[in-house]
Amino acid sequence: MSVSCSQCLSDLLCGEDSSEILSGESPESSSSDVEYPGGFIEESIAGYIEDERNFVPGVDYLSRFQSRSLDASAREESVAWILKVQAWLGFRPLTGYLSVDYLDRVLYSRRLPQTDGWPLQLLSVACLSLAAKMEEPLVPSLLDLQVEGAKYIFEPRTIRRMELLVLGVLDWRLRSITPFSFTGFFACKLDPAGAYTGFLISRATEIILSNIKEASFLEYRPSSIAAAAILCAANDIPNLSLVNPEHAESWCDGLSKDKIISCYRLMQDLVLDDSRRKSTKVLLPRLRVTIRARMRSSGSDSSSSSSSSSYKKRKLNNCLWVVDDDKGNSE
């Protein structure tokens, strides 16, 4: 299905003005002839590129993993769990990405206690909960979020305390700039006629989420990741596969050619792994039809990923409760 550039970019405009702005001067003009009005879209995207540095961890974040000051494998495990839950609950891709964005920004600013892995699990649940509240029309209970192999089950009051810590670290700025802020615009730049725009956005979204676990991508800002993902998606389309990645710099002011090309090459190196994961992802939409029933079910369903029946609780640091063994009833 082809998607016009005006459709892809309409969400960047105010709702009350978008139809007027995108209608164009001539009623006879087709969607493929619509020009970006007065450079408004380009200015908005350029503004995102300028501001995106305020919504990512510091430049030395990756080096902390490389020096093993932070545990890259623990982060990868947490991100993998977030994406599993995002897929299982049928959350939007942006919800999954925001969860990881919050996680990284907190890990950069705060050092968590190195205690059996539960602090990072708690942080992951809190970040996913906050992202879901930002993006999802239907948000499950805090207990129902703790599925898909969660090692610990936390009480809602404990998660809420962690949410407040996350909000404090982020200075309550939950509306982040992400690669998805750019993908629609870049797809239209690569395919102005809109013949393949829908596929480019969909495939780029898949590529972004499949690579988010890799610590190496922490070197790149959202705009570079988005541009590289669109270029990788274009490789699947014969008519666009010969596009020169160096030309992506011209899509908008402020883009870095070197960063885009470097990120693009890294994504290409991982594309085979991504295609292997694709066969698993095809099965995920079939699971979504059962989620609302599960969310309305009893508390025992929320612990369906656990192995047996009788959990013991123990208190940590005088305020945090986690599950030790097996749990019978969720509070």
Side-chain angles (χ1 to χ4, degrees), residues 104-173:
D104 284 328
R105 288 159 65 187
V106 172
L107 289 178
Y108 177 76
S109 301
R110 293 291 183 93
R111 182 173 291 277
L112 298 180
Q114 302 298 314
T115 309
D116 301 329
W118 65 261
L120 189 55
Q121 175 71 49
L122 176 58
L123 176 60
S124 301
V125 175
C127 290
L128 179 59
S129 172
L130 289 172
K133 291 171 184 175
M134 285 294 294
E135 298 299 329
E136 300 299 328
L138 179 63
V139 180
S141 71
L142 291 174
L143 288 175
D144 286 328
L145 280 177
Q146 301 178 74
V147 294
E148 287 297 289
K151 293 182 179 179
Y152 304 93
I153 303 296
F154 301 96
E155 291 184 343
R157 62 180 179 178
T158 302
I159 299 172
R160 293 189 189 103
R161 287 172 181 166
M162 180 57 82
E163 287 180 341
L164 288 175
L165 185 148
V166 173
L167 289 168
V169 171
L170 302 183
D171 197 23
W172 293 76
R173 295 183 303 170

Side-chain angles (χ1 to χ4, degrees), residues 252-265:
C252 189
D253 292 339
L255 291 174
S256 169
K257 179 176 70 174
D258 292 339
K259 288 294 185 181
I260 291 173
I261 293 176
S262 175
C263 186
Y264 171 67
R265 289 172 179 168

Side-chain angles (χ1 to χ4, degrees), residues 143-144 296-304 327-331:
L143 288 175
D144 286 328
R296 291 193 298 267
S297 64
S298 64
S300 59
D301 288 334
S302 66
S303 57
S304 60
K327 179 177 181 182
N329 297 314
S330 302
E331 291 187 8

Side-chain angles (χ1 to χ4, degrees), residues 57-66 70 75 103-105 107-108 218:
V59 293
D60 61 329
Y61 185 47
L62 175 59
S63 65
R64 296 184 188 181
F65 289 105
Q66 294 171 335
L70 291 175
R75 176 192 178 273
L103 179 80
D104 284 328
R105 288 159 65 187
L107 289 178
Y108 177 76
L218 295 171

Side-chain angles (χ1 to χ4, degrees), residues 81-94:
W81 177 81
I82 287 173
L83 295 181
K84 279 185 182 179
V85 178
Q86 176 251 331
W88 169 256
L89 296 177
F91 285 168
R92 300 169 181 175
L94 179 57

